[in-house]
C-alpha cells in the first residue's frame, strides 16, 4: 500500500519479533484464546499471531500494508492451523463488508496506524453486532514524567525509527471513544513481555461492539 513502505523497519521488526516471540507467544495465545468464526486481523506484520489461532476460527482475513512484512505473513499463513488469507490494505479502510466478522484482532498496531479513531471505526463497521475486538497494545505510561518522555519521542524520532509507531497513545480510551465496551483489560509491563520503555506498559484485553450477538 502506497505510503506504507518501511523497508528498514520491516526487516528490523521481522528479526526482533522472532527474538521476542519466546516472551510474546503466551500473550498472543491469550489474545486469541476462545475466538470462533471469521476473524479480521489488522496490521498482521510478519504473521506472528497466525500459529496461535484456535481451531474454532473458520478463517482469518489478515490485512497488512507493508510489502516485506506482507510477504512474510503470506509464508506464515501457509503453516497456520486455520485458513488465513493475507491481503494488502490499511486499517483506516478495511477491505471487508459491514458486519462480516465475528472478531477483530489488533496487536501492536494501534500505535502505528495514522488515524486510530478511523481504524477503530472501521473495526466496528466490519464486526457483527456484539462482535469482539481483541487487542494487545503498548500504551502511554501512567507516570507523568514517563508520559512526557513518550510524547516528546512521538514528536521527534520514534515514528521515524518505528515505522510510524507512537509510544504515548491512550489506546484503551480510543477504543471506548469508538463505541466499544471494554469487558476485560489487563496491564502488562517489561517483566511480562520483555518489551522495554518507551514501548511499555502494554494492555491486553477484549472490547465488545454495540448490539446483541446473533
Ligand atoms: C509493530 S508491527 C506489529 C505487527 C503484528 N501485528 C504483531 O503483532 O507482531 C506494526 C504493524 O502495523 C502495520 N501498520 C502500520 N500502519 C498501518 C495501517 N494504517 N493499517 C494497517 N496496518 C498498519 C505495519 O505495517 C506493521 O506490520
Amino acid at each position: 500500500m502506497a505510503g506504507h513502505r518501511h523497508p528498514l523497519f520491516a526487516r528490523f521488526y521481522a528479526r526482533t519479533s522472532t527474538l521476542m516471540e519466546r516472551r510474546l507467544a503466551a500473550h498472543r495465545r491469550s489474545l486469541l484464546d476462545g475466538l470462533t468464526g471469521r476473524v479480521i486481523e489488522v496490521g498482521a506484520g510478519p504473521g506472528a499471531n497466525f500459529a496461535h489461532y484456535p481451531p474454532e476460527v473458520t478463517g482469518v482475513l489478515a490485512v497488512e500494508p507493508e510489502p516485506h512484512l506482507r510477504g512474510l505473513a503470506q509464508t506464515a499463513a501457509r503453516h497456520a492451523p486455520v485458513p488465513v488469507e493475507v491481503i494488502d490494505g490499511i486499517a483506516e479502510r478495511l477491505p471487508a463488508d459491514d458486519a462480516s466478522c465475528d472478531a477483530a484482532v489488533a496487536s501492536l498496531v494501534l500505535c502505528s496506524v495514522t488515524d486510530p479513531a478511523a481504524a477503530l471505526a472501521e473495526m466496528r463497521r466490519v464486526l457483527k453486532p456484539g462482535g469482539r475486538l481483541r487487542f494487545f497494545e503498548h500504551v502511554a505510561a501512567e507516570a507523568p514524567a514517563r508520559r512526557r518522555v513518550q510524547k516528546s519521542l512521538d514528536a521527534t524520532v520514534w515514528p521515524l525509527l518505528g515505522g510510524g509507531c507512537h509510544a504515548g497513545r491512550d489506546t484503551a480510551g480510543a477504543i471506548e471513544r469508538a463505541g466499544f465496551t471494554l469487558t476485560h483489560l489487563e496491564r502488562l509491563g517489561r517483566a511480562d513481555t520483555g518489551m522495554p520503555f518507551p514501548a511499555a506498559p502494554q494492555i491486553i484485553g477484549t472490547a465488545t461492539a454495540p448490539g446483541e450477538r446473533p
Side-chain angles (χ1 to χ4, degrees):
M1 179 70 61
H4 286 272
R5 282 179 182 275
H6 296 286
L8 288 178
F9 167 75
R11 283 159 179 81
F12 171 78
Y13 186 74
R15 179 165 285 242
T16 50
S17 72
T18 303
L19 298 174
M20 288 191 313
E21 275 318 300
R22 271 187 27 192
R23 300 290 291 279
L24 293 188
H27 300 294
R28 294 190 188 280
R29 273 194 296 280
S30 98
L31 174 74
L32 306 175
D33 186 42
L35 290 182
T36 58
R38 180 116 190 103
V39 176
I40 186 161
E41 182 174 333
V42 178
N49 285 326
F50 298 169
H52 306 293
Y53 276 101
E56 292 78 14
V57 166
T58 53
V60 177
L61 181 65
V63 179
E64 173 50 52
E66 207 294 321
H68 178 71
L69 292 173
R70 192 169 58 252
L72 295 174
Q74 279 157 347
T75 301
R78 290 199 273 281
H79 306 286
V82 300
V84 179
E85 183 189 3
V86 180
I87 57 171
D88 191 7
I90 56 168
E92 294 88 343
R93 206 169 49 249
L94 288 175
D97 291 336
D98 295 3
S100 58
C101 302
D102 298 287
V105 169
S107 70
L108 307 174
V109 66
L110 288 167
C111 54
S112 297
V113 301
T114 312
D115 185 343
L120 286 160
E122 274 293 89
M123 288 185 233
R124 190 176 151 179
R125 177 184 68 75
V126 303
L127 279 173
K128 295 176 184 170
R132 303 282 190 261
L133 165 60
R134 292 283 181 87
F135 54 88
F136 171 43
E137 295 287 344
H138 67 82
V139 296
E142 278 173 310
R146 287 191 159 224
R147 273 177 104 106
R148 279 196 295 278
V149 173
Q150 288 173 321
K151 286 288 174 199
S152 61
L153 287 170
D154 286 352
T156 53
V157 293
W158 195 250
L160 295 174
L161 295 175
C165 180
H166 294 76
R169 284 187 172 166
D170 169 22
T171 297
I175 290 170
E176 289 192 298
R177 285 190 293 279
F180 288 93
T181 302
L182 287 170
T183 51
H184 175 74
L185 180 76
E186 207 179 319
R187 288 183 82 83
L188 306 170
R190 181 177 189 164
D192 306 295
T193 62
M195 291 172 65
F197 183 80
Q202 301 89 32
I203 54 171
I204 188 164
T206 303
T208 306
E212 291 292 315
R213 276 181 124 169

